[in-house]
Amino acid sequence: MSETPSTDISHDQHAVRRGKLADMRAAGFDPFRANVATTHFSQDAKALYVEGQDNVTTVTVAGRLVTFRVQGGSSFVKIQDQQGIIQLYFRKDVLGEERYLFFKKGLDLGDILGVTGTLFLTKTGEITVRVDAFTLVSKALRPLPDNWNGLTDSEQIYRQRYLDLIVNTESRNRLMTRSKIVSHIRRFLEDRQFLEVETPVLQAVAGGAAARPFQTHHNTLNTDFVLRISLELYLKRMLVGGYDRVFEIGRNFRNEGVSRRHNPEFTMLEVYQAYSDYRGMMTLVQDLLRSLCDNVLKTSQITHAASGEVIDFGGQWREVKYKDLIIEKTGDADWFSRSKEEKVAGVQKLGLYADPKWEEFELTNEIFGKLIEPKLIQPTFVTHLPKELCPLAKITENDSSTIDVFELIIGGMEVAPAYSEQNDPDVQRAMFEAQAGGEQQNIDQDFLLALEHGMPPAGGMGIGIDRLCILLTGAESIRDVILYPQLRPSEAK
């Protein structure tokens, strides 16, 4: 039974549905006070069916009404729940004329109902519930978009994600996969004796990254705070405190731009392991991503959405130094000994904008970010980056211009940076001061105090969960893997 279009279908149906609700309440039934005790989700229920044993197994399932097919005294209906769709079979001679009439006349697409009945196999081979009893537990007062054919307006998809989840199977499955990815990451790390901890979201100093924070004020303490931009510095305090393997999956907040790969509120995994280093993190992240492929995706090969190239997680992962990539791209073996003016000219020669006010490392990193990183589709560890890019990593022993780090690039974007963590408090202070430009208020003095009590050598790594989900699900934008991405407020309708 499809719903009849009109010149203002939403308004008309809203009025009709409210009328049905009023009639129900006048008759002594309020669906919003009803409930049902389910025994199974849809797919779990269907898995109970044994071939040749029709009408033996009883189940109670519930979900949103998504299709009607009325055939005189019987109707085939489908409902949708968290696991998917299951078909129901209603018969007037089973339910009685009054209940069957209520079913036919009182219900609408989008209503939520629970049913109890037995499993059987239809002539077309579909496992179905033969309904013995049903309960309407929520009346949908507004119709769903486009009569169940889909939701295509991107603005509506993100503002009314609940509608997107109802009508777009691809979105529902993608966001379900995200939940499974996060769950598996936790189990993977816990199996390796990492402890999950929680660190403050409100912080006095925005440390651990170079980003613009959101600012707020605590009235009781009469103190300004920022929303954290990184999990790093508090997790390292845990290493000082004797927790040798720790991780946190939490929200970070950066008051910066919105793009296909950036959302002001995003989810990070940060993990720290004492007595390890950046190479230990290489092994950890490679094992983690392969485990996700095996256990969540069920494949080691995925198709990169933008290029169409097949990414092979089971193959050999490339390792290459940052400097070698720059020299290869510029064709200049002496690039890193060139003057700033020569580097400005070199960047411009490659067709990129180069601001003469930029630092030399910024000029070089413009080449990496614009011309090299987007081309690295297969898993690639880019190692030994310029020390100016991160003040929290150990300086390379035989090259004081670089640090012992890697950036794991997959699908043309950074998925996981990792370091051999700096644990020398004097070197750390000097690097913080260089980054802060003499502004002591921007330095986390308590973190430096913690380091002076002794932090073991360690490897640390961050993984952007949203970016990882973009990669593993083939999504086109970060908004497609975040349930509720940031949007400008709109007037409620």
Side-chain angles (χ1 to χ4, degrees), residues 32-100:
F32 298 113
R33 292 188 175 275
N35 205 345
V36 61
T38 59
T39 60
H40 299 86
F41 286 123
S42 57
Q43 306 311 304
D44 294 336
K46 288 193 279 189
L48 296 175
Y49 177 74
V50 178
E51 188 174 356
Q53 295 187 15
D54 286 359
N55 304 315
V56 172
T57 304
T58 300
V59 296
T60 300
V61 293
R64 189 178 298 275
L65 188 58
V66 295
T67 62
F68 272 138
R69 193 166 83 244
V70 179
Q71 297 174 330
S74 64
S75 300
F76 282 95
V77 165
K78 291 186 179 180
I79 60 172
Q80 176 178 282
D81 66 7
Q82 177 175 304
Q83 288 187 345
I85 289 174
I86 190 168
Q87 182 167 263
L88 315 176
Y89 182 47
F90 289 76
R91 288 184 60 93
K92 181 166 64 174
D93 59 359
V94 174
L95 297 172
E97 186 168 348
E98 183 179 350
R99 288 295 288 163
Y100 190 72

Side-chain angles (χ1 to χ4, degrees), residues 377-403:
I377 306 302
Q378 298 300 323
T380 303
F381 291 113
V382 179
T383 68
H384 299 94
L385 278 70
K387 66 180 181 180
E388 294 87 354
L389 293 177
C390 179
L392 291 157
K394 282 191 174 180
I395 296 173
T396 305
E397 190 170 356
N398 58 1
D399 185 354
S400 61
S401 70
T402 68
I403 43 180

Side-chain angles (χ1 to χ4, degrees), residues 330-374:
T330 60
D332 185 355
D334 298 319
W335 174 268
F336 288 93
S337 61
R338 298 292 184 189
S339 67
K340 181 178 178 180
E341 291 74 19
E342 289 174 319
K343 288 178 180 175
V344 169
V347 172
Q348 293 173 339
K349 185 178 179 180
L350 290 169
L352 300 175
Y353 173 74
D355 190 330
K357 296 179 181 179
W358 287 351
E359 300 291 337
E360 290 188 39
F361 77 90
E362 293 176 302
L363 291 165
T364 300
N365 208 47
E366 184 73 1
I367 296 172
F368 179 78
K370 294 293 177 57
L371 300 180
I372 298 174
E373 182 179 84

Side-chain angles (χ1 to χ4, degrees), residues 75-316:
S75 300
F76 282 95
V77 165
K78 291 186 179 180
I79 60 172
Q80 176 178 282
D81 66 7
Q82 177 175 304
Q83 288 187 345
I85 289 174
I86 190 168
Q87 182 167 263
L88 315 176
Y89 182 47
F90 289 76
R91 288 184 60 93
K92 181 166 64 174
D93 59 359
V94 174
L95 297 172
E97 186 168 348
E98 183 179 350
R99 288 295 288 163
Y100 190 72
L101 182 62
F102 176 84
F103 161 73
K104 289 179 61 177
K105 301 297 185 181
L107 302 188
D108 295 290
L109 289 174
D111 288 353
I112 300 174
L113 65 154
V115 303
T116 297
T118 55
L119 299 172
F120 76 101
L121 195 67
T122 67
K123 293 179 180 180
T124 59
E126 185 166 359
I127 299 171
T128 301
V129 179
R130 189 186 302 272
V131 177
D132 296 320
F134 75 92
T135 304
L136 175 64
V137 296
S138 184
K139 183 67 182 170
L141 298 178
R142 292 185 182 271
L144 295 167
D146 195 24
N147 201 24
W148 292 95
N149 289 323
L151 182 66
T152 57
D153 180 78
S154 60
E155 182 78 4
Q156 192 177 14
I157 285 173
Y158 302 130
R159 288 198 184 279
Q160 295 178 283
R161 178 67 86 182
Y162 47 90
L163 295 180
D164 179 45
L165 294 175
I166 293 170
V167 303
N168 287 340
T169 302
E170 184 179 356
S171 291
R172 187 166 58 252
N173 290 342
R174 183 189 301 116
L175 290 161
M176 185 78 74
T177 298
R178 177 194 172 108
S179 294
K180 292 177 180 178
I181 287 170
V182 174
S183 177
H184 185 78
I185 289 172
R186 282 195 166 94
R187 293 196 305 272
F188 176 91
L189 292 172
E190 288 168 351
D191 287 346
R192 285 156 180 76
Q193 295 185 286
F194 285 86
L195 298 173
E196 183 174 11
V197 299
E198 295 178 324
T199 60
V201 172
L202 292 176
Q203 300 181 355
V205 178
R212 179 186 301 170
F214 288 92
Q215 299 181 345
T216 187
H217 183 80
H218 193 293
N219 292 333
T220 301
L221 298 179
N222 193 26
T223 302
D224 291 332
F225 286 95
V226 296
L227 300 184
R228 67 184 177 196
I229 59 174
S230 171
L231 310 173
E232 183 165 351
L233 299 188
Y234 278 92
L235 287 173
K236 286 183 179 178
R237 287 171 169 87
M238 304 301 294
L239 296 180
V240 174
Y243 283 54
D244 290 339
R245 298 184 183 188
V246 295
F247 76 95
E248 182 173 6
I249 299 174
R251 294 289 206 187
N252 286 340
F253 307 85
R254 297 183 181 180
N255 195 358
E256 298 174 346
V258 177
S259 72
R260 191 173 65 85
R261 294 182 180 178
H262 296 90
N263 193 65
E265 176 183 1
F266 61 98
T267 303
M268 281 292 295
L269 161 70
E270 291 205 23
V271 55
Y272 294 87
Q273 180 176 347
Y275 316 110
S276 185
D277 57 15
Y278 79 103
R279 292 205 166 273
M281 294 298 103
M282 276 188 186
T283 300
L284 185 67
V285 71
Q286 194 168 39
D287 290 347
L288 171 59
L289 292 188
R290 285 176 171 168
S291 182
L292 285 168
C293 287
D294 291 343
N295 294 281
V296 178
L297 303 184
K298 308 299 183 184
T299 178
S300 63
Q301 297 183 333
I302 64 172
T303 300
H304 182 228
S307 69
E309 184 175 340
V310 175
I311 300 173
D312 184 8
F313 288 91
Q316 184 68 35

